PDB file of all heavy atoms in Angstrom:
ATOM      1  N   TYR T1153     150.728 286.604 153.530  1.00  0.00           N
ATOM      2  CA  TYR T1153     150.910 287.202 152.142  1.00  0.00           C
ATOM      3  C   TYR T1153     152.210 287.971 152.152  1.00  0.00           C
ATOM      4  O   TYR T1153     152.526 288.616 153.096  1.00  0.00           O
ATOM      5  CB  TYR T1153     149.738 288.106 151.774  1.00  0.00           C
ATOM      6  CG  TYR T1153     148.458 287.344 151.482  1.00  0.00           C
ATOM      7  CD1 TYR T1153     147.380 287.412 152.384  1.00  0.00           C
ATOM      8  CD2 TYR T1153     148.341 286.468 150.367  1.00  0.00           C
ATOM      9  CE1 TYR T1153     146.230 286.703 152.063  1.00  0.00           C
ATOM     10  CE2 TYR T1153     147.238 285.815 150.162  1.00  0.00           C
ATOM     11  CZ  TYR T1153     146.126 285.880 151.026  1.00  0.00           C
ATOM     12  OH  TYR T1153     144.983 285.146 150.752  1.00  0.00           O
ATOM     13  N   LEU T1196     140.740 277.594 146.858  1.00  0.00           N
ATOM     14  CA  LEU T1196     141.237 278.569 145.945  1.00  0.00           C
ATOM     15  C   LEU T1196     142.643 278.988 146.273  1.00  0.00           C
ATOM     16  O   LEU T1196     143.338 279.675 145.400  1.00  0.00           O
ATOM     17  CB  LEU T1196     140.319 279.832 145.958  1.00  0.00           C
ATOM     18  CG  LEU T1196     138.901 279.707 145.468  1.00  0.00           C
ATOM     19  CD1 LEU T1196     138.137 280.975 145.756  1.00  0.00           C
ATOM     20  CD2 LEU T1196     138.826 279.351 144.059  1.00  0.00           C
ATOM     21  N   ALA T1220     141.070 272.200 141.090  1.00  0.00           N
ATOM     22  CA  ALA T1220     139.996 272.717 140.108  1.00  0.00           C
ATOM     23  C   ALA T1220     138.892 271.652 139.957  1.00  0.00           C
ATOM     24  O   ALA T1220     137.736 272.115 139.937  1.00  0.00           O
ATOM     25  CB  ALA T1220     140.679 272.924 138.832  1.00  0.00           C
ATOM     26  N   ASP T1221     139.229 270.363 139.854  1.00  0.00           N
ATOM     27  CA  ASP T1221     138.301 269.421 139.720  1.00  0.00           C
ATOM     28  C   ASP T1221     137.390 269.278 140.947  1.00  0.00           C
ATOM     29  O   ASP T1221     136.110 269.117 140.873  1.00  0.00           O
ATOM     30  CB  ASP T1221     139.011 268.087 139.462  1.00  0.00           C
ATOM     31  CG  ASP T1221     138.279 267.229 138.392  1.00  0.00           C
ATOM     32  OD1 ASP T1221     137.744 267.820 137.442  1.00  0.00           O
ATOM     33  OD2 ASP T1221     138.132 265.998 138.657  1.00  0.00           O
ATOM     34  N   ARG T1223     136.747 271.737 143.095  1.00  0.00           N
ATOM     35  CA  ARG T1223     135.822 272.897 143.198  1.00  0.00           C
ATOM     36  C   ARG T1223     134.665 272.676 142.256  1.00  0.00           C
ATOM     37  O   ARG T1223     133.505 272.995 142.621  1.00  0.00           O
ATOM     38  CB  ARG T1223     136.640 274.142 142.764  1.00  0.00           C
ATOM     39  CG  ARG T1223     137.594 274.685 143.773  1.00  0.00           C
ATOM     40  CD  ARG T1223     138.063 276.094 143.439  1.00  0.00           C
ATOM     41  NE  ARG T1223     138.667 276.254 142.174  1.00  0.00           N
ATOM     42  CZ  ARG T1223     139.994 276.156 141.919  1.00  0.00           C
ATOM     43  NH1 ARG T1223     140.827 275.824 142.917  1.00  0.00           N
ATOM     44  NH2 ARG T1223     140.465 276.320 140.743  1.00  0.00           N
ATOM     45  N   LEU T1224     134.977 272.203 141.095  1.00  0.00           N
ATOM     46  CA  LEU T1224     133.930 271.937 140.049  1.00  0.00           C
ATOM     47  C   LEU T1224     132.802 271.100 140.567  1.00  0.00           C
ATOM     48  O   LEU T1224     131.656 271.372 140.346  1.00  0.00           O
ATOM     49  CB  LEU T1224     134.541 271.467 138.755  1.00  0.00           C
ATOM     50  CG  LEU T1224     133.574 271.220 137.598  1.00  0.00           C
ATOM     51  CD1 LEU T1224     132.885 272.534 137.119  1.00  0.00           C
ATOM     52  CD2 LEU T1224     134.316 270.613 136.450  1.00  0.00           C
ATOM     53  N   PHE T1229     130.228 278.775 144.595  1.00  0.00           N
ATOM     54  CA  PHE T1229     130.675 280.058 145.080  1.00  0.00           C
ATOM     55  C   PHE T1229     129.602 281.149 144.736  1.00  0.00           C
ATOM     56  O   PHE T1229     129.001 281.145 143.653  1.00  0.00           O
ATOM     57  CB  PHE T1229     131.960 280.515 144.372  1.00  0.00           C
ATOM     58  CG  PHE T1229     133.179 279.701 144.789  1.00  0.00           C
ATOM     59  CD1 PHE T1229     133.514 278.525 144.037  1.00  0.00           C
ATOM     60  CD2 PHE T1229     133.885 280.030 145.907  1.00  0.00           C
ATOM     61  CE1 PHE T1229     134.701 277.767 144.448  1.00  0.00           C
ATOM     62  CE2 PHE T1229     134.978 279.315 146.245  1.00  0.00           C
ATOM     63  CZ  PHE T1229     135.386 278.138 145.605  1.00  0.00           C
ATOM     64  N   PHE T1231     129.622 285.436 145.012  1.00  0.00           N
ATOM     65  CA  PHE T1231     130.567 286.510 145.283  1.00  0.00           C
ATOM     66  C   PHE T1231     129.784 287.781 145.556  1.00  0.00           C
ATOM     67  O   PHE T1231     128.615 287.941 145.196  1.00  0.00           O
ATOM     68  CB  PHE T1231     131.454 286.716 144.039  1.00  0.00           C
ATOM     69  CG  PHE T1231     132.206 285.525 143.640  1.00  0.00           C
ATOM     70  CD1 PHE T1231     131.708 284.691 142.595  1.00  0.00           C
ATOM     71  CD2 PHE T1231     133.393 285.101 144.250  1.00  0.00           C
ATOM     72  CE1 PHE T1231     132.396 283.548 142.147  1.00  0.00           C
ATOM     73  CE2 PHE T1231     134.020 283.979 143.797  1.00  0.00           C
ATOM     74  CZ  PHE T1231     133.592 283.189 142.738  1.00  0.00           C
ATOM     75  N   SER T1233     130.243 290.782 144.353  1.00  0.00           N
ATOM     76  CA  SER T1233     129.730 291.569 143.209  1.00  0.00           C
ATOM     77  C   SER T1233     129.236 290.619 142.115  1.00  0.00           C
ATOM     78  O   SER T1233     129.475 290.899 140.958  1.00  0.00           O
ATOM     79  CB  SER T1233     130.829 292.452 142.735  1.00  0.00           C
ATOM     80  OG  SER T1233     132.084 291.743 142.645  1.00  0.00           O
ATOM     81  N   ASN T1235     129.657 288.701 139.945  1.00  0.00           N
ATOM     82  CA  ASN T1235     130.640 288.156 138.995  1.00  0.00           C
ATOM     83  C   ASN T1235     130.050 287.165 137.974  1.00  0.00           C
ATOM     84  O   ASN T1235     130.468 286.080 137.723  1.00  0.00           O
ATOM     85  CB  ASN T1235     131.742 287.319 139.736  1.00  0.00           C
ATOM     86  CG  ASN T1235     132.741 288.297 140.335  1.00  0.00           C
ATOM     87  OD1 ASN T1235     132.893 289.431 139.882  1.00  0.00           O
ATOM     88  ND2 ASN T1235     133.356 287.843 141.449  1.00  0.00           N
ATOM     89  N   ILE T1237     129.099 286.327 134.016  1.00  0.00           N
ATOM     90  CA  ILE T1237     129.767 286.574 132.746  1.00  0.00           C
ATOM     91  C   ILE T1237     128.925 287.467 131.911  1.00  0.00           C
ATOM     92  O   ILE T1237     127.792 287.044 131.529  1.00  0.00           O
ATOM     93  CB  ILE T1237     130.191 285.277 132.111  1.00  0.00           C
ATOM     94  CG1 ILE T1237     131.165 284.424 133.027  1.00  0.00           C
ATOM     95  CG2 ILE T1237     130.829 285.543 130.715  1.00  0.00           C
ATOM     96  CD1 ILE T1237     131.361 283.055 132.654  1.00  0.00           C
ATOM     97  N   PRO T1238     129.309 288.652 131.631  1.00  0.00           N
ATOM     98  CA  PRO T1238     128.387 289.592 130.978  1.00  0.00           C
ATOM     99  C   PRO T1238     127.909 289.229 129.578  1.00  0.00           C
ATOM    100  O   PRO T1238     126.765 289.682 129.166  1.00  0.00           O
ATOM    101  CB  PRO T1238     129.234 290.930 130.883  1.00  0.00           C
ATOM    102  CG  PRO T1238     130.699 290.541 130.998  1.00  0.00           C
ATOM    103  CD  PRO T1238     130.624 289.293 131.853  1.00  0.00           C
ATOM    104  N   VAL T1239     128.650 288.376 128.823  1.00  0.00           N
ATOM    105  CA  VAL T1239     128.128 288.089 127.491  1.00  0.00           C
ATOM    106  C   VAL T1239     127.202 286.931 127.496  1.00  0.00           C
ATOM    107  O   VAL T1239     126.624 286.606 126.433  1.00  0.00           O
ATOM    108  CB  VAL T1239     129.417 287.778 126.565  1.00  0.00           C
ATOM    109  CG1 VAL T1239     130.254 288.935 126.283  1.00  0.00           C
ATOM    110  CG2 VAL T1239     130.172 286.586 127.136  1.00  0.00           C
ATOM    111  N   LEU T1240     127.017 286.264 128.619  1.00  0.00           N
ATOM    112  CA  LEU T1240     126.067 285.184 128.734  1.00  0.00           C
ATOM    113  C   LEU T1240     124.718 285.611 129.288  1.00  0.00           C
ATOM    114  O   LEU T1240     124.684 286.540 130.123  1.00  0.00           O
ATOM    115  CB  LEU T1240     126.644 283.979 129.547  1.00  0.00           C
ATOM    116  CG  LEU T1240     127.996 283.396 129.087  1.00  0.00           C
ATOM    117  CD1 LEU T1240     128.387 282.313 129.996  1.00  0.00           C
ATOM    118  CD2 LEU T1240     127.873 282.917 127.664  1.00  0.00           C
ATOM    119  N   GLU T1244     122.402 281.023 130.874  1.00  0.00           N
ATOM    120  CA  GLU T1244     123.748 280.427 130.486  1.00  0.00           C
ATOM    121  C   GLU T1244     124.710 280.599 131.615  1.00  0.00           C
ATOM    122  O   GLU T1244     125.603 279.717 131.813  1.00  0.00           O
ATOM    123  CB  GLU T1244     124.246 281.140 129.277  1.00  0.00           C
ATOM    124  CG  GLU T1244     123.474 280.745 127.946  1.00  0.00           C
ATOM    125  CD  GLU T1244     123.614 281.769 126.822  1.00  0.00           C
ATOM    126  OE1 GLU T1244     124.274 282.839 127.042  1.00  0.00           O
ATOM    127  OE2 GLU T1244     123.025 281.451 125.753  1.00  0.00           O
ATOM    128  N   MET T1251     128.165 273.205 132.379  1.00  0.00           N
ATOM    129  CA  MET T1251     128.788 273.255 131.082  1.00  0.00           C
ATOM    130  C   MET T1251     130.246 272.717 131.293  1.00  0.00           C
ATOM    131  O   MET T1251     130.675 271.888 130.502  1.00  0.00           O
ATOM    132  CB  MET T1251     128.803 274.643 130.498  1.00  0.00           C
ATOM    133  CG  MET T1251     129.159 274.750 129.053  1.00  0.00           C
ATOM    134  SD  MET T1251     129.355 276.374 128.484  1.00  0.00           S
ATOM    135  CE  MET T1251     131.125 276.654 128.899  1.00  0.00           C
ATOM    136  N   LEU T1252     130.882 273.221 132.292  1.00  0.00           N
ATOM    137  CA  LEU T1252     132.221 272.708 132.589  1.00  0.00           C
ATOM    138  C   LEU T1252     132.236 271.214 132.970  1.00  0.00           C
ATOM    139  O   LEU T1252     133.249 270.511 132.623  1.00  0.00           O
ATOM    140  CB  LEU T1252     132.898 273.501 133.752  1.00  0.00           C
ATOM    141  CG  LEU T1252     133.255 274.972 133.437  1.00  0.00           C
ATOM    142  CD1 LEU T1252     133.780 275.610 134.757  1.00  0.00           C
ATOM    143  CD2 LEU T1252     134.259 275.125 132.324  1.00  0.00           C
ATOM    144  N   ARG T1260     120.904 270.362 131.424  1.00  0.00           N
ATOM    145  CA  ARG T1260     121.328 271.515 132.274  1.00  0.00           C
ATOM    146  C   ARG T1260     120.295 272.655 132.139  1.00  0.00           C
ATOM    147  O   ARG T1260     119.961 273.295 133.242  1.00  0.00           O
ATOM    148  CB  ARG T1260     122.759 271.986 131.999  1.00  0.00           C
ATOM    149  CG  ARG T1260     122.995 272.471 130.625  1.00  0.00           C
ATOM    150  CD  ARG T1260     124.447 272.799 130.471  1.00  0.00           C
ATOM    151  NE  ARG T1260     124.692 273.603 129.282  1.00  0.00           N
ATOM    152  CZ  ARG T1260     125.511 273.409 128.306  1.00  0.00           C
ATOM    153  NH1 ARG T1260     126.331 272.337 128.425  1.00  0.00           N
ATOM    154  NH2 ARG T1260     125.630 274.178 127.226  1.00  0.00           N
ATOM    155  N   ARG T1296     123.685 279.585 139.948  1.00  0.00           N
ATOM    156  CA  ARG T1296     124.968 279.041 139.370  1.00  0.00           C
ATOM    157  C   ARG T1296     125.697 278.136 140.428  1.00  0.00           C
ATOM    158  O   ARG T1296     126.187 277.084 140.120  1.00  0.00           O
ATOM    159  CB  ARG T1296     125.836 280.161 138.946  1.00  0.00           C
ATOM    160  CG  ARG T1296     127.210 279.713 138.439  1.00  0.00           C
ATOM    161  CD  ARG T1296     127.998 280.893 137.831  1.00  0.00           C
ATOM    162  NE  ARG T1296     128.421 281.814 138.887  1.00  0.00           N
ATOM    163  CZ  ARG T1296     129.092 282.903 138.620  1.00  0.00           C
ATOM    164  NH1 ARG T1296     129.355 283.276 137.384  1.00  0.00           N
ATOM    165  NH2 ARG T1296     129.411 283.774 139.551  1.00  0.00           N
TER     166      ARG T1296
ATOM    167  N   ASP A1451     130.413 273.815 123.352  1.00  0.00           N
ATOM    168  CA  ASP A1451     130.200 274.842 124.333  1.00  0.00           C
ATOM    169  C   ASP A1451     131.340 275.871 124.232  1.00  0.00           C
ATOM    170  O   ASP A1451     131.159 277.068 124.428  1.00  0.00           O
ATOM    171  CB  ASP A1451     130.099 274.199 125.699  1.00  0.00           C
ATOM    172  CG  ASP A1451     128.699 273.463 125.842  1.00  0.00           C
ATOM    173  OD1 ASP A1451     127.844 273.945 125.292  1.00  0.00           O
ATOM    174  OD2 ASP A1451     128.787 272.496 126.523  1.00  0.00           O
ATOM    175  N   PHE A1454     130.818 278.129 121.385  1.00  0.00           N
ATOM    176  CA  PHE A1454     129.701 279.015 121.694  1.00  0.00           C
ATOM    177  C   PHE A1454     130.242 280.262 122.566  1.00  0.00           C
ATOM    178  O   PHE A1454     129.926 281.376 122.280  1.00  0.00           O
ATOM    179  CB  PHE A1454     128.604 278.235 122.381  1.00  0.00           C
ATOM    180  CG  PHE A1454     127.514 279.090 123.030  1.00  0.00           C
ATOM    181  CD1 PHE A1454     126.583 279.696 122.307  1.00  0.00           C
ATOM    182  CD2 PHE A1454     127.529 279.248 124.496  1.00  0.00           C
ATOM    183  CE1 PHE A1454     125.572 280.464 122.900  1.00  0.00           C
ATOM    184  CE2 PHE A1454     126.589 279.997 125.069  1.00  0.00           C
ATOM    185  CZ  PHE A1454     125.607 280.557 124.309  1.00  0.00           C
ATOM    186  N   LEU A1455     131.009 279.790 123.647  1.00  0.00           N
ATOM    187  CA  LEU A1455     131.560 280.826 124.543  1.00  0.00           C
ATOM    188  C   LEU A1455     132.522 281.670 123.928  1.00  0.00           C
ATOM    189  O   LEU A1455     132.524 282.961 124.033  1.00  0.00           O
ATOM    190  CB  LEU A1455     132.217 280.058 125.723  1.00  0.00           C
ATOM    191  CG  LEU A1455     132.397 280.922 126.931  1.00  0.00           C
ATOM    192  CD1 LEU A1455     131.131 281.438 127.431  1.00  0.00           C
ATOM    193  CD2 LEU A1455     133.084 280.068 128.066  1.00  0.00           C
ATOM    194  N   LYS A1458     130.796 284.208 121.681  1.00  0.00           N
ATOM    195  CA  LYS A1458     130.161 285.333 122.462  1.00  0.00           C
ATOM    196  C   LYS A1458     131.226 286.295 122.918  1.00  0.00           C
ATOM    197  O   LYS A1458     131.022 287.468 122.919  1.00  0.00           O
ATOM    198  CB  LYS A1458     129.411 284.752 123.626  1.00  0.00           C
ATOM    199  CG  LYS A1458     128.116 284.072 123.215  1.00  0.00           C
ATOM    200  CD  LYS A1458     126.989 284.300 124.184  1.00  0.00           C
ATOM    201  CE  LYS A1458     125.680 283.914 123.621  1.00  0.00           C
ATOM    202  NZ  LYS A1458     124.524 284.377 124.525  1.00  0.00           N
ATOM    203  N   ASN A1459     132.386 285.778 123.425  1.00  0.00           N
ATOM    204  CA  ASN A1459     133.465 286.625 123.901  1.00  0.00           C
ATOM    205  C   ASN A1459     134.052 287.492 122.787  1.00  0.00           C
ATOM    206  O   ASN A1459     134.512 288.588 122.999  1.00  0.00           O
ATOM    207  CB  ASN A1459     134.596 285.722 124.468  1.00  0.00           C
ATOM    208  CG  ASN A1459     134.270 285.286 125.881  1.00  0.00           C
ATOM    209  OD1 ASN A1459     133.566 286.024 126.566  1.00  0.00           O
ATOM    210  ND2 ASN A1459     134.766 284.161 126.245  1.00  0.00           N
ATOM    211  N   ARG A1462     132.231 290.594 122.517  1.00  0.00           N
ATOM    212  CA  ARG A1462     132.147 291.326 123.744  1.00  0.00           C
ATOM    213  C   ARG A1462     132.310 292.840 123.545  1.00  0.00           C
ATOM    214  O   ARG A1462     131.592 293.668 123.945  1.00  0.00           O
ATOM    215  CB  ARG A1462     133.157 290.745 124.703  1.00  0.00           C
ATOM    216  CG  ARG A1462     133.183 291.375 126.093  1.00  0.00           C
ATOM    217  CD  ARG A1462     134.368 290.778 126.765  1.00  0.00           C
ATOM    218  NE  ARG A1462     134.030 289.348 127.144  1.00  0.00           N
ATOM    219  CZ  ARG A1462     133.743 288.917 128.319  1.00  0.00           C
ATOM    220  NH1 ARG A1462     133.776 289.731 129.346  1.00  0.00           N
ATOM    221  NH2 ARG A1462     133.403 287.681 128.595  1.00  0.00           N
ATOM    222  N   ARG A1745     139.702 289.416 136.011  1.00  0.00           N
ATOM    223  CA  ARG A1745     138.837 289.144 137.152  1.00  0.00           C
ATOM    224  C   ARG A1745     137.843 287.981 136.739  1.00  0.00           C
ATOM    225  O   ARG A1745     137.638 287.081 137.561  1.00  0.00           O
ATOM    226  CB  ARG A1745     138.094 290.372 137.474  1.00  0.00           C
ATOM    227  CG  ARG A1745     137.213 290.251 138.650  1.00  0.00           C
ATOM    228  CD  ARG A1745     136.479 291.466 139.103  1.00  0.00           C
ATOM    229  NE  ARG A1745     135.530 291.285 140.173  1.00  0.00           N
ATOM    230  CZ  ARG A1745     135.839 291.227 141.440  1.00  0.00           C
ATOM    231  NH1 ARG A1745     137.110 291.504 141.824  1.00  0.00           N
ATOM    232  NH2 ARG A1745     134.991 290.982 142.373  1.00  0.00           N
ATOM    233  N   GLU A1746     137.279 288.075 135.519  1.00  0.00           N
ATOM    234  CA  GLU A1746     136.355 287.088 135.016  1.00  0.00           C
ATOM    235  C   GLU A1746     137.123 285.720 134.952  1.00  0.00           C
ATOM    236  O   GLU A1746     136.479 284.665 135.362  1.00  0.00           O
ATOM    237  CB  GLU A1746     135.867 287.482 133.686  1.00  0.00           C
ATOM    238  CG  GLU A1746     134.666 286.681 133.211  1.00  0.00           C
ATOM    239  CD  GLU A1746     134.164 287.270 131.920  1.00  0.00           C
ATOM    240  OE1 GLU A1746     133.799 288.379 131.788  1.00  0.00           O
ATOM    241  OE2 GLU A1746     134.091 286.391 130.958  1.00  0.00           O
ATOM    242  N   VAL A1749     137.250 284.199 138.309  1.00  0.00           N
ATOM    243  CA  VAL A1749     135.942 283.644 138.696  1.00  0.00           C
ATOM    244  C   VAL A1749     135.769 282.273 137.970  1.00  0.00           C
ATOM    245  O   VAL A1749     135.396 281.286 138.545  1.00  0.00           O
ATOM    246  CB  VAL A1749     134.782 284.581 138.381  1.00  0.00           C
ATOM    247  CG1 VAL A1749     133.435 283.896 138.583  1.00  0.00           C
ATOM    248  CG2 VAL A1749     134.871 285.865 139.151  1.00  0.00           C
ATOM    249  N   LEU A1751     137.980 280.333 136.822  1.00  0.00           N
ATOM    250  CA  LEU A1751     138.833 279.288 137.579  1.00  0.00           C
ATOM    251  C   LEU A1751     138.306 278.809 138.868  1.00  0.00           C
ATOM    252  O   LEU A1751     138.357 277.667 139.223  1.00  0.00           O
ATOM    253  CB  LEU A1751     140.301 279.869 137.622  1.00  0.00           C
ATOM    254  CG  LEU A1751     141.186 280.048 136.378  1.00  0.00           C
ATOM    255  CD1 LEU A1751     142.402 280.860 136.633  1.00  0.00           C
ATOM    256  CD2 LEU A1751     141.500 278.727 135.759  1.00  0.00           C
ATOM    257  N   ALA A1752     137.807 279.786 139.589  1.00  0.00           N
ATOM    258  CA  ALA A1752     137.216 279.460 140.935  1.00  0.00           C
ATOM    259  C   ALA A1752     136.116 278.496 140.734  1.00  0.00           C
ATOM    260  O   ALA A1752     135.949 277.631 141.615  1.00  0.00           O
ATOM    261  CB  ALA A1752     136.808 280.751 141.615  1.00  0.00           C
ATOM    262  N   LEU A1753     135.310 278.644 139.654  1.00  0.00           N
ATOM    263  CA  LEU A1753     134.094 277.812 139.560  1.00  0.00           C
ATOM    264  C   LEU A1753     134.474 276.349 139.089  1.00  0.00           C
ATOM    265  O   LEU A1753     133.714 275.532 139.030  1.00  0.00           O
ATOM    266  CB  LEU A1753     133.213 278.410 138.427  1.00  0.00           C
ATOM    267  CG  LEU A1753     132.474 279.691 138.828  1.00  0.00           C
ATOM    268  CD1 LEU A1753     131.736 280.221 137.648  1.00  0.00           C
ATOM    269  CD2 LEU A1753     131.691 279.553 140.102  1.00  0.00           C
ATOM    270  N   GLY A1754     135.845 276.226 138.846  1.00  0.00           N
ATOM    271  CA  GLY A1754     136.266 274.824 138.564  1.00  0.00           C
ATOM    272  C   GLY A1754     136.860 274.576 137.170  1.00  0.00           C
ATOM    273  O   GLY A1754     137.160 273.479 136.864  1.00  0.00           O
ATOM    274  N   SER A1755     137.000 275.677 136.444  1.00  0.00           N
ATOM    275  CA  SER A1755     137.561 275.559 135.082  1.00  0.00           C
ATOM    276  C   SER A1755     139.119 275.343 135.293  1.00  0.00           C
ATOM    277  O   SER A1755     139.730 275.814 136.140  1.00  0.00           O
ATOM    278  CB  SER A1755     137.351 276.823 134.299  1.00  0.00           C
ATOM    279  OG  SER A1755     138.015 276.745 133.016  1.00  0.00           O
ATOM    280  N   LYS A1756     139.695 274.544 134.398  1.00  0.00           N
ATOM    281  CA  LYS A1756     141.179 274.287 134.409  1.00  0.00           C
ATOM    282  C   LYS A1756     141.888 275.334 133.543  1.00  0.00           C
ATOM    283  O   LYS A1756     141.206 275.832 132.571  1.00  0.00           O
ATOM    284  CB  LYS A1756     141.547 272.893 133.913  1.00  0.00           C
ATOM    285  CG  LYS A1756     140.953 271.833 134.799  1.00  0.00           C
ATOM    286  CD  LYS A1756     141.130 270.407 134.337  1.00  0.00           C
ATOM    287  CE  LYS A1756     140.554 269.459 135.259  1.00  0.00           C
ATOM    288  NZ  LYS A1756     139.081 269.427 135.131  1.00  0.00           N
ATOM    289  N   PRO A1852     143.106 281.571 140.686  1.00  0.00           N
ATOM    290  CA  PRO A1852     141.827 282.194 140.927  1.00  0.00           C
ATOM    291  C   PRO A1852     141.790 283.404 141.766  1.00  0.00           C
ATOM    292  O   PRO A1852     141.146 284.409 141.502  1.00  0.00           O
ATOM    293  CB  PRO A1852     141.025 281.061 141.551  1.00  0.00           C
ATOM    294  CG  PRO A1852     141.739 279.779 141.238  1.00  0.00           C
ATOM    295  CD  PRO A1852     143.164 280.212 141.127  1.00  0.00           C
ATOM    296  N   VAL A1853     142.612 283.378 142.926  1.00  0.00           N
ATOM    297  CA  VAL A1853     142.658 284.439 143.828  1.00  0.00           C
ATOM    298  C   VAL A1853     143.247 285.683 143.207  1.00  0.00           C
ATOM    299  O   VAL A1853     142.666 286.824 143.274  1.00  0.00           O
ATOM    300  CB  VAL A1853     143.369 284.019 145.153  1.00  0.00           C
ATOM    301  CG1 VAL A1853     143.545 285.208 146.029  1.00  0.00           C
ATOM    302  CG2 VAL A1853     142.652 282.890 145.796  1.00  0.00           C
ATOM    303  N   MET A1856     140.797 287.178 140.757  1.00  0.00           N
ATOM    304  CA  MET A1856     139.659 287.871 141.337  1.00  0.00           C
ATOM    305  C   MET A1856     140.018 289.170 142.039  1.00  0.00           C
ATOM    306  O   MET A1856     139.103 290.007 142.333  1.00  0.00           O
ATOM    307  CB  MET A1856     138.846 286.971 142.283  1.00  0.00           C
ATOM    308  CG  MET A1856     138.122 285.953 141.509  1.00  0.00           C
ATOM    309  SD  MET A1856     136.987 284.955 142.566  1.00  0.00           S
ATOM    310  CE  MET A1856     138.014 283.992 143.570  1.00  0.00           C
ATOM    311  N   ARG A1857     141.320 289.419 142.186  1.00  0.00           N
ATOM    312  CA  ARG A1857     141.739 290.657 142.856  1.00  0.00           C
ATOM    313  C   ARG A1857     141.835 291.764 141.792  1.00  0.00           C
ATOM    314  O   ARG A1857     141.925 292.950 142.172  1.00  0.00           O
ATOM    315  CB  ARG A1857     143.173 290.480 143.533  1.00  0.00           C
ATOM    316  CG  ARG A1857     143.108 289.947 144.904  1.00  0.00           C
ATOM    317  CD  ARG A1857     144.391 290.180 145.631  1.00  0.00           C
ATOM    318  NE  ARG A1857     144.466 289.164 146.688  1.00  0.00           N
ATOM    319  CZ  ARG A1857     145.464 288.274 146.780  1.00  0.00           C
ATOM    320  NH1 ARG A1857     146.468 288.345 145.869  1.00  0.00           N
ATOM    321  NH2 ARG A1857     145.491 287.374 147.720  1.00  0.00           N
TER     322      ARG A1857
END
Side-chain angles (χ1 to χ4, degrees):
Chain T
Y1153 290 110
L1196 294 173
D1221 217 40
R1223 286 196 299 272
L1224 179 62
F1229 290 93
F1231 305 98
S1233 44
N1235 286 333
I1237 298 170
V1239 292
L1240 300 181
E1244 287 161 357
M1251 192 187 89
L1252 291 176
R1260 62 186 195 231
R1296 178 174 67 186
Chain A
D1451 288 328
F1454 167 76
L1455 197 58
K1458 288 219 165 189
N1459 279 329
R1462 178 183 290 251
R1745 184 180 174 84
E1746 191 176 303
V1749 173
L1751 289 169
L1753 293 177
S1755 174
K1756 292 178 185 70
V1853 174
M1856 285 192 291
R1857 275 198 205 121

